[in-house]
Amino acid sequence: MNSHTMLMRMVTVLGIVSLVFFAGCGGGTSQGFNNQPPPPSGSNPTPTIATISPNSSLAGGAAFSLTVNGTNFVATSVVHFGGAAATTTFVSGTQLTAAIPASGIASAGTVAVTLTNPTPGGGTSNAVNFTVTSGGTTNPATWISLTVAPDSSGKFGKFAYLTNSSSNNVTIYSIDPATGSLTATGSIPAGTSPQSVAVDHSGKFAYVANGGSNDISMYAINQTTGALETLGTVVAGNSPISVVIDPSGKFTYVANEGSNDISIFAIASTGTLEPLGPIATGVVSTSVTVGPFGGFAYVTNADPNGPFEVNTSNGNISTYKINSTGALELSGTVAAGLYPRSIAVDPSGKFAYVANCGDFERNQGDIAMYTVDASTGTLTLIGTIGAGSCPLSVALHPSGKFAYAANTGSDGGPDIEGVSMYTINPNGTLTPIGLINAGYCPSSLAVDPSGKFAYVTNHCDNTISMYTIDLTTGALTLLGTIGT
């Protein structure tokens, strides 16, 4: 399969941004210190490190803040990164942060993280390893997708789930609510070549579209740990690539790229899916989303000339009305750009945005902007705005003020262009506010429900770029990078 074919088969998951991790990439744990005698009165204790976050990064990445969790920290504790003392901030007796310079992750390898407490007493903690992975290792057969699961309030991200099409599993992450950092907590098998993952709005159930086995894996979510408990599988169409849950939590919709249709399911109280039948769409259905209030569903159809060809014709967007039974009724189509890959509707339900990869031979790509008719769901084009090379995913800030697009580049080459950032104007048009680097071939992105953090999957080097979001300007700042 040529690189263009592999690129165009990558999943792009809405709002979510779609990442891949092999099992075992989680952070280190401390050794046991339970039998130590208490320190003499007036002396500092010996510190212990339990976890670090993030626990890995891409070589040559930017400076970042490292969070260290453990016990017996004091105001004068100092974190050492690879033997070098880092500027350390005391948060509490169980948490510190350390400023790690870019020079600390200049080359690939394993870096020991320790911390020291000064005399009297004091001493050096156990060591926990931080992994620095090599950049530029193209792995186009690994397609990745991420979604953020909310806490019980629905206002904050609690867990993240990432599909791994090469190892056929889903990696589970916890989210630090203070810093936004991700920590791997385990993985669970999925079907063959999992492409997309969605979590219902209550955070109770998760569903994975498996493009190779043509089915959907169903899971119940442990509300405390985020662990996934399998509920079995259900048959979908040919090459399911995108899965979404409507806001009511009653229905699930799956875009099938190979059979050019949408599989419709009702969600039982147990979380299992009950097939309601498919409905035909356009050619090469690449993604599906539902408006924020339900009522309408939208499907991107990539290329009327057929899949995996050089893009010379515009795709389109199919609009469907969702009736009370969950069935879809086609209400019309509207033109999109060259090879539309994902669509997002703003929280007010007034505007929609489509990422058009464009003619990837010529590194073209843009974001199409639409108004949404509140009564019919009909989209009306109000213009396009340039993005980077081949935007595959578009996601919106929960405030409705900002938009972001992940630009993967033409074929994993040197023209990678990171993440485009925009403000959303009152009339729905976008204004660019800059571009920020990501990893190698950024392909999917997700914004935390709190609006404080964003995550970008980089499919060519199998990493996640983590960002903080300026709530005033919408600008992203790199928090760190997690490697596999």
Side-chain angles (χ1 to χ4, degrees), residues 310-392:
V310 173
N311 301 323
T312 57
S313 299
N314 288 338
N316 57 51
I317 310 299
S318 299
T319 300
Y320 299 87
K321 181 179 179 180
I322 303 175
N323 68 24
S324 59
T325 67
L328 300 181
E329 301 172 358
L330 181 66
S331 59
T333 60
V334 62
L338 293 178
Y339 219 94
R341 294 291 300 181
S342 74
I343 179 172
V345 181
D346 89 307
S348 72
K350 295 180 178 179
F351 310 111
Y353 304 92
V354 173
N356 298 306
C357 176
D359 182 350
F360 56 86
E361 291 285 358
R362 298 177 177 83
N363 301 329
Q364 298 170 344
D366 56 37
I367 305 297
M369 304 170 286
Y370 302 84
T371 58
V372 180
D373 185 288
S375 59
T376 66
T378 301
L379 303 181
T380 300
L381 182 68
I382 56 175
T384 60
I385 191 165
S389 177
C390 190
L392 290 183

Side-chain angles (χ1 to χ4, degrees), residues 267-285:
I267 303 176
S269 59
T270 59
T272 56
L273 299 181
E274 301 173 352
L276 298 178
I279 185 171
T281 62
V283 177
V284 191
S285 303

Side-chain angles (χ1 to χ4, degrees), residues 192-263:
T192 303
S193 189
Q195 298 289 295
S196 170
V197 56
V199 172
D200 77 320
H201 296 270
S202 70
K204 293 181 179 179
F205 306 113
Y207 305 97
V208 174
N210 302 302
S213 50
N214 299 329
D215 56 20
I216 307 299
S217 297
M218 305 173 289
Y219 305 93
I221 300 175
N222 184 301
Q223 299 295 288
T224 302
T225 66
L228 299 179
E229 176 186 349
T230 183
L231 299 174
T233 61
V234 63
V235 174
N238 185 17
S239 300
I241 190 172
S242 175
V243 56
V244 68
I245 302 167
D246 87 306
S248 72
K250 295 180 179 179
F251 309 110
T252 296
Y253 303 96
V254 178
N256 301 301
E257 184 183 35
S259 51
N260 302 321
D261 57 19
I262 298 295
S263 297

Side-chain angles (χ1 to χ4, degrees), residues 46-129:
T46 301
T48 300
I49 298 178
T51 61
I52 59 175
S53 180
N55 55 45
S56 60
S57 178
L58 187 67
F64 66 97
S65 177
L66 179 73
T67 299
V68 181
N69 300 300
T71 57
N72 295 334
F73 299 167
V74 297
T76 50
S77 297
V78 177
V79 173
H80 294 261
F81 190 82
T87 300
T88 303
T89 300
F90 177 80
V91 178
S92 70
T94 59
Q95 188 175 91
L96 304 169
T97 61
I100 308 302
S103 59
I105 55 172
S107 58
T110 300
V111 179
V113 177
T114 60
L115 67 89
T116 58
N117 287 349
T119 57
T124 301
S125 73
N126 58 303
V128 172
N129 287 334

